[in-house]
Amino acid sequence: MARLISMAVIVAVLAAMLHYSAAQTVHVVGDNTGWTVPQGGAATYTSWASGKQFVVGDTLVFNFATNVHDVAELSKESFDACDFSSTIGSIITTGPANITLATAGNHYYVCTIGSHCTSGQKLAISVSATPGASPPSSSTATPPPTTQGGDSSSSTVFASVFVSLVSLVISFFL
């Protein structure tokens, strides 16, 4: 009986790990373009984000060279005006920068160096609380396109751990 209870606990933990890994995605901003002043202007990052789904717990990776670019989160109004006087949190000046999406809603990111923001180095995304859910609506801002996908390296790591643990459990009980 104790062995059966132990097996049930292990299976529950493994199921929780699999659920956790499936909910997190690593999004490399701009994919191969990276975080740079785009030749296509702001439409480059709008296009990149369209069709993707961002969920609380996901990570944005901004690939840029230190001292050439940076990344800051702004309010919608500051984003639209490329006004960096009141950032949300600190400006990240060391690349690459990883930002974990901690809250649902609209998030706005820019490069604060020179005229990079006004030249289109800016990203607006909507973050959902759970996969498939709609982000909270805002009465003061039009939400940017809902988004999904990207590189899922954290899911790959958790899947490998999951497979290893299942193998261990099976060998223990056989």
Side-chain angles (χ1 to χ4, degrees):
M1 182 67 167
R3 195 175 246 197
L4 185 59
I5 292 172
S6 295
M7 185 172 158
V9 168
I10 290 171
V11 167
V13 168
L14 293 175
M17 284 179 60
L18 183 62
H19 173 74
Y20 175 76
S21 68
Q24 292 186 327
T25 301
V26 175
H27 302 276
V28 178
V29 175
D31 294 324
N32 294 333
T33 302
W35 185 239
T36 188
V37 178
Q39 291 186 3
T44 300
Y45 292 111
T46 301
S47 175
W48 173 82
S50 67
K52 291 177 174 43
Q53 181 183 19
F54 298 99
V55 179
V56 169
D58 285 358
T59 301
L60 296 177
V61 178
F62 291 84
N63 285 324
F64 62 89
T66 301
N67 298 322
V68 176
H69 299 288
D70 61 21
V71 64
E73 185 171 3
L74 302 176
S75 67
K76 168 78 167 129
E77 294 74 22
S78 295
F79 174 85
D80 288 341
C82 289
D83 174 5
F84 320 125
S85 61
S86 57
T87 62
I88 299 170
S90 299
I91 297 172
I92 302 171
T93 59
T94 304
N98 297 327
I99 297 176
T100 300
L101 301 173
T103 60
N106 296 328
H107 293 263
Y108 305 93
Y109 301 95
V110 300
C111 179
T112 68
I113 294 178
S115 61
H116 294 190
C117 179
T118 56
S119 296
Q121 193 174 358
K122 56 198 299 187
L123 171 68
I125 62 170
S126 289
V127 179
S128 299
T130 58
S134 295
S137 62
S138 169
S139 59
T140 60
T142 302
T146 304
T147 52
Q148 162 159 23
D151 185 15
S152 57
S153 59
S154 62
S155 295
T156 303
V157 170
F158 282 112
S160 297
V161 170
F162 179 78
V163 168
S164 298
L165 287 174
V166 168
S167 299
L168 180 66
V169 169
I170 291 171
S171 65
F172 177 76
F173 288 102
L174 291 181

